[in-house]
mmCIF file of all heavy atoms in Angstrom:
data_model
loop_
_atom_site.group_PDB
_atom_site.id
_atom_site.type_symbol
_atom_site.label_atom_id
_atom_site.label_comp_id
_atom_site.label_asym_id
_atom_site.label_seq_id
_atom_site.Cartn_x
_atom_site.Cartn_y
_atom_site.Cartn_z
ATOM 1 N N ILE A 129 -11.514 -17.861 -13.297
ATOM 2 C CA ILE A 129 -12.292 -18.960 -13.878
ATOM 3 C C ILE A 129 -12.362 -18.684 -15.378
ATOM 4 O O ILE A 129 -12.999 -17.715 -15.805
ATOM 5 C CB ILE A 129 -13.701 -19.047 -13.244
ATOM 6 C CG1 ILE A 129 -13.577 -19.127 -11.718
ATOM 7 C CG2 ILE A 129 -14.455 -20.259 -13.804
ATOM 8 C CD1 ILE A 129 -14.898 -19.076 -10.975
ATOM 9 N N THR A 163 -18.226 -26.085 -13.137
ATOM 10 C CA THR A 163 -19.570 -25.918 -12.568
ATOM 11 C C THR A 163 -19.457 -25.056 -11.304
ATOM 12 O O THR A 163 -18.355 -24.833 -10.789
ATOM 13 C CB THR A 163 -20.166 -27.282 -12.173
ATOM 14 O OG1 THR A 163 -19.325 -27.834 -11.137
ATOM 15 C CG2 THR A 163 -20.255 -28.230 -13.354
ATOM 16 N N PHE A 164 -20.625 -24.633 -10.799
ATOM 17 C CA PHE A 164 -20.609 -23.838 -9.565
ATOM 18 C C PHE A 164 -19.945 -24.636 -8.450
ATOM 19 O O PHE A 164 -19.112 -24.099 -7.714
ATOM 20 C CB PHE A 164 -22.041 -23.449 -9.147
ATOM 21 C CG PHE A 164 -22.069 -22.613 -7.889
ATOM 22 C CD1 PHE A 164 -21.941 -21.233 -7.961
ATOM 23 C CD2 PHE A 164 -22.167 -23.206 -6.636
ATOM 24 C CE1 PHE A 164 -21.921 -20.454 -6.810
ATOM 25 C CE2 PHE A 164 -22.142 -22.436 -5.482
ATOM 26 C CZ PHE A 164 -22.024 -21.066 -5.560
ATOM 27 N N ALA A 167 -16.186 -24.688 -8.847
ATOM 28 C CA ALA A 167 -15.586 -23.385 -8.505
ATOM 29 C C ALA A 167 -15.628 -23.173 -6.988
ATOM 30 O O ALA A 167 -14.641 -22.754 -6.381
ATOM 31 C CB ALA A 167 -16.322 -22.260 -9.227
ATOM 32 N N ALA A 168 -16.786 -23.504 -6.398
ATOM 33 C CA ALA A 168 -16.931 -23.334 -4.935
ATOM 34 C C ALA A 168 -15.939 -24.240 -4.200
ATOM 35 O O ALA A 168 -15.344 -23.842 -3.195
ATOM 36 C CB ALA A 168 -18.366 -23.631 -4.512
ATOM 37 N N ILE A 171 -12.556 -22.673 -4.293
ATOM 38 C CA ILE A 171 -12.487 -21.535 -3.350
ATOM 39 C C ILE A 171 -12.312 -22.062 -1.924
ATOM 40 O O ILE A 171 -11.463 -21.566 -1.164
ATOM 41 C CB ILE A 171 -13.771 -20.657 -3.445
ATOM 42 C CG1 ILE A 171 -13.804 -19.937 -4.798
ATOM 43 C CG2 ILE A 171 -13.839 -19.656 -2.298
ATOM 44 C CD1 ILE A 171 -15.102 -19.212 -5.105
ATOM 45 N N LEU A 185 -11.266 -13.401 -5.954
ATOM 46 C CA LEU A 185 -11.938 -14.062 -7.078
ATOM 47 C C LEU A 185 -11.965 -13.051 -8.219
ATOM 48 O O LEU A 185 -12.569 -11.971 -8.090
ATOM 49 C CB LEU A 185 -13.365 -14.467 -6.681
ATOM 50 C CG LEU A 185 -14.217 -15.047 -7.813
ATOM 51 C CD1 LEU A 185 -13.641 -16.373 -8.315
ATOM 52 C CD2 LEU A 185 -15.666 -15.229 -7.358
ATOM 53 N N VAL A 189 -16.712 -13.587 -13.961
ATOM 54 C CA VAL A 189 -16.719 -15.047 -14.034
ATOM 55 C C VAL A 189 -17.576 -15.422 -15.249
ATOM 56 O O VAL A 189 -18.361 -14.605 -15.720
ATOM 57 C CB VAL A 189 -17.286 -15.677 -12.737
ATOM 58 C CG1 VAL A 189 -16.418 -15.330 -11.540
ATOM 59 C CG2 VAL A 189 -18.734 -15.271 -12.485
ATOM 60 N N LEU A 193 -22.085 -18.782 -14.241
ATOM 61 C CA LEU A 193 -21.815 -18.745 -12.796
ATOM 62 C C LEU A 193 -22.274 -17.397 -12.214
ATOM 63 O O LEU A 193 -22.262 -16.385 -12.918
ATOM 64 C CB LEU A 193 -20.323 -18.943 -12.524
ATOM 65 C CG LEU A 193 -19.738 -20.281 -12.974
ATOM 66 C CD1 LEU A 193 -18.221 -20.291 -12.808
ATOM 67 C CD2 LEU A 193 -20.361 -21.434 -12.179
ATOM 68 N N ASP A 194 -22.660 -17.418 -10.936
ATOM 69 C CA ASP A 194 -23.110 -16.200 -10.267
ATOM 70 C C ASP A 194 -21.992 -15.721 -9.335
ATOM 71 O O ASP A 194 -21.698 -16.347 -8.310
ATOM 72 C CB ASP A 194 -24.396 -16.507 -9.478
ATOM 73 C CG ASP A 194 -24.975 -15.264 -8.797
ATOM 74 O OD1 ASP A 194 -24.200 -14.335 -8.501
ATOM 75 O OD2 ASP A 194 -26.198 -15.244 -8.568
ATOM 76 N N ALA A 195 -21.363 -14.586 -9.713
ATOM 77 C CA ALA A 195 -20.206 -14.082 -8.948
ATOM 78 C C ALA A 195 -20.584 -13.787 -7.497
ATOM 79 O O ALA A 195 -19.794 -14.035 -6.584
ATOM 80 C CB ALA A 195 -19.665 -12.822 -9.614
ATOM 81 N N ASN A 196 -21.798 -13.252 -7.288
ATOM 82 C CA ASN A 196 -22.196 -12.917 -5.909
ATOM 83 C C ASN A 196 -22.323 -14.177 -5.059
ATOM 84 O O ASN A 196 -21.968 -14.183 -3.880
ATOM 85 C CB ASN A 196 -23.519 -12.157 -5.895
ATOM 86 C CG ASN A 196 -23.345 -10.743 -6.410
ATOM 87 O OD1 ASN A 196 -22.231 -10.213 -6.406
ATOM 88 N ND2 ASN A 196 -24.430 -10.135 -6.857
ATOM 89 N N GLU A 197 -22.846 -15.251 -5.665
ATOM 90 C CA GLU A 197 -22.982 -16.516 -4.909
ATOM 91 C C GLU A 197 -21.593 -17.100 -4.631
ATOM 92 O O GLU A 197 -21.353 -17.639 -3.544
ATOM 93 C CB GLU A 197 -23.841 -17.522 -5.687
ATOM 94 C CG GLU A 197 -25.336 -17.171 -5.719
ATOM 95 C CD GLU A 197 -25.925 -16.999 -4.324
ATOM 96 O OE1 GLU A 197 -25.688 -17.857 -3.450
ATOM 97 O OE2 GLU A 197 -26.627 -15.998 -4.103
ATOM 98 N N LEU A 198 -20.682 -16.983 -5.586
ATOM 99 C CA LEU A 198 -19.323 -17.494 -5.361
ATOM 100 C C LEU A 198 -18.597 -16.674 -4.287
ATOM 101 O O LEU A 198 -17.864 -17.222 -3.462
ATOM 102 C CB LEU A 198 -18.510 -17.482 -6.666
ATOM 103 C CG LEU A 198 -18.881 -18.567 -7.675
ATOM 104 C CD1 LEU A 198 -18.148 -18.356 -8.996
ATOM 105 C CD2 LEU A 198 -18.585 -19.967 -7.136
ATOM 106 N N ALA A 199 -18.858 -15.359 -4.284
ATOM 107 C CA ALA A 199 -18.209 -14.502 -3.272
ATOM 108 C C ALA A 199 -18.624 -14.924 -1.867
ATOM 109 O O ALA A 199 -17.853 -14.790 -0.921
ATOM 110 C CB ALA A 199 -18.556 -13.041 -3.516
ATOM 111 N N LYS A 200 -19.848 -15.458 -1.750
ATOM 112 C CA LYS A 200 -20.323 -15.898 -0.429
ATOM 113 C C LYS A 200 -19.551 -17.112 0.079
ATOM 114 O O LYS A 200 -19.574 -17.417 1.261
ATOM 115 C CB LYS A 200 -21.817 -16.263 -0.490
ATOM 116 C CG LYS A 200 -22.746 -15.084 -0.676
ATOM 117 C CD LYS A 200 -24.180 -15.590 -0.637
ATOM 118 C CE LYS A 200 -25.162 -14.542 -1.103
ATOM 119 N NZ LYS A 200 -26.512 -15.086 -1.264
ATOM 120 N N VAL A 201 -18.915 -17.839 -0.845
ATOM 121 C CA VAL A 201 -18.177 -19.056 -0.449
ATOM 122 C C VAL A 201 -16.804 -18.690 0.133
ATOM 123 O O VAL A 201 -16.239 -19.421 0.937
ATOM 124 C CB VAL A 201 -18.019 -20.011 -1.670
ATOM 125 C CG1 VAL A 201 -17.305 -21.290 -1.274
ATOM 126 C CG2 VAL A 201 -19.375 -20.320 -2.298
ATOM 127 N N ILE A 202 -16.266 -17.542 -0.259
ATOM 128 C CA ILE A 202 -14.942 -17.122 0.239
ATOM 129 C C ILE A 202 -15.053 -16.833 1.737
ATOM 130 O O ILE A 202 -15.988 -16.154 2.174
ATOM 131 C CB ILE A 202 -14.449 -15.843 -0.489
ATOM 132 C CG1 ILE A 202 -14.445 -16.049 -2.006
ATOM 133 C CG2 ILE A 202 -13.067 -15.427 0.001
ATOM 134 C CD1 ILE A 202 -14.174 -14.782 -2.810
#
Side-chain angles (χ1 to χ4, degrees):
I129 306 174
T163 63
F164 181 87
I171 291 171
L185 174 65
V189 297
L193 298 173
D194 183 334
N196 288 339
E197 288 304 312
L198 286 173
K200 290 183 192 171
V201 182
I202 305 171

